Amino acid sequence: ERYGRGMDKHTPQRTNSAAKSVAATVVGAAVKQGLLDINAKPALPEWSRPGDPRGEITISDLLHMNSGLYTEAAGNPQQELYFGGASAAERAALNIVDSKPGTRWIYSGSDTILSVRAVRAALKDDARHLRFPFEEVLWKIGMTRTTPEVDWNGDFLMSGDMWSTVRDMGRFAMFYANGGKAWNGEQIIPEDWPAYVATPAPAQPDSADGRGYGAQFWLFGPKQRLPEGCYTPAGARGQYAMIVPQHDLIVVRRGFDLNPGFNIA
């Protein structure tokens, strides 16, 4: 365990897109509690009108970055939520589709945000919605120094707007390596959820190093000279919590990188 730049084990740091994996875990906790079916259509009540093409989108499509919702680049319309004052309920949920769900992979933080908005819709209780990530996931696995943030309308911007520590991200990875059980043995997410998030999505990224994508986790293996089945949260500037099941190993790395980024493999 090693730190630099005046940081220590208690220093919270922005996770960037490593938060996406935490978002998937919040969804998983809702599935475990019987609140959600990730394969049900539509993913959101906003898309339930007859004839709405978004009615074909499932929560699984959102988690796989396969929603088919329009985006000009990886940051849009997420950047309008982060910096322009638009709400997830407005700009992301009311976005249009430009491809069939499950046929195109594109890195869209809005898909992540909408998957957690589906939890809010299922709860039908905004106060409980704001407590849910803390009470049902983070605090149960000891991530007491992790803080996800919300937009002005109360939707979690868990595509990247989250703060956490090295040790909390280590706890998160250990939680997955332990099959989704908390330290006391409580099953927080479905038993098959770790396998689900580590299974390649129907449509895959065309990444330069051949890494794949599951459900809000990046997938590594022999193409990157790593053992089969490695998966990790991954965020800009070098945020990782790599899980290597074959060796019962976790490697957490946090950074402030600019290009070129840190090569976790």
Side-chain angles (χ1 to χ4, degrees):
E1 188 171 10
R2 185 175 59 181
Y3 298 92
R5 302 191 186 189
M7 301 181 72
D8 63 23
K9 63 186 180 183
H10 297 314
T11 307
Q13 179 187 354
R14 188 163 176 152
T15 62
N16 298 314
S17 287
K20 291 179 171 66
S21 302
V22 178
T25 309
V26 171
V27 174
V31 172
K32 176 67 169 61
Q33 295 181 25
L35 296 167
L36 289 177
D37 176 354
I38 61 170
N39 295 309
K41 300 176 183 179
L44 294 175
E46 290 94 332
W47 303 337
S48 61
R49 292 177 298 175
D52 190 330
R54 297 168 300 187
E56 294 299 308
I57 301 172
T58 66
I59 295 171
S60 193
D61 291 327
L62 294 170
L63 293 175
H64 285 144
M65 301 288 193
N66 287 180
S67 70
L69 291 168
Y70 172 74
T71 181
E72 295 177 6
N76 293 325
Q78 177 183 277
Q79 298 304 311
E80 296 171 41
L81 276 55
Y82 275 51
F83 303 113
S87 69
E90 178 186 65
R91 181 64 182 88
L94 302 183
N95 196 5
I96 61 173
V97 293
D98 67 352
S99 64
K100 185 178 179 180
T103 65
R104 180 196 68 180
W105 186 92
I106 189 164
Y107 195 64
S108 173
S110 291
D111 282 7
T112 310
I113 292 167
L114 293 176
S115 71
V116 182
R117 180 167 172 77
V119 177
R120 181 181 187 177
L123 288 169
K124 297 182 176 65
D125 180 336
D126 284 352
R128 187 182 174 200
H129 149 73
L130 292 171
R131 299 193 308 266
F132 192 88
F134 298 95
E135 294 181 348
E136 304 301 332
V137 177
L138 299 174
W139 295 346
K140 285 188 175 184
I141 62 178
M143 294 179 69
T144 59
R145 295 178 184 270
T146 298
T147 308
E149 298 186 354
V150 298
D151 67 10
W152 61 265
N153 191 46
D155 279 306
F156 282 101
L157 299 181
M158 221 177 290
S159 59
D161 206 359
M162 188 178 82
W163 299 78
S164 190
T165 64
V166 171
R167 286 191 173 189
D168 270 14
M169 291 307 296
R171 290 180 176 97
F172 180 72
M174 288 176 67
F175 164 70
Y176 268 90
N178 196 36
K181 291 186 176 69
W183 62 272
N184 62 358
E186 181 183 357
Q187 189 74 42
I188 307 297
I189 52 180
E191 292 183 4
D192 61 354
W193 197 260
Y196 166 70
V197 301
T199 299
Q204 285 290 299
D206 184 17
S207 51
D209 64 356
R211 70 178 69 180
Y213 202 79
Q216 305 290 303
F217 284 76
W218 286 92
L219 313 181
F220 289 74
K223 289 183 179 179
Q224 296 79 39
R225 301 175 68 185
L226 290 175
E228 191 72 53
C230 297
Y231 63 110
T232 183
R237 299 196 173 189
Q239 322 304 318
Y240 296 99
M242 180 70 79
I243 303 162
V244 188
Q246 285 192 22
H247 294 290
D248 195 25
L249 174 68
I250 290 158
V251 179
V252 180
R253 194 269 180 180
R254 309 295 304 278
F256 291 106
D257 304 351
L258 297 176
N259 290 325
F262 183 78
N263 186 342
I264 186 64

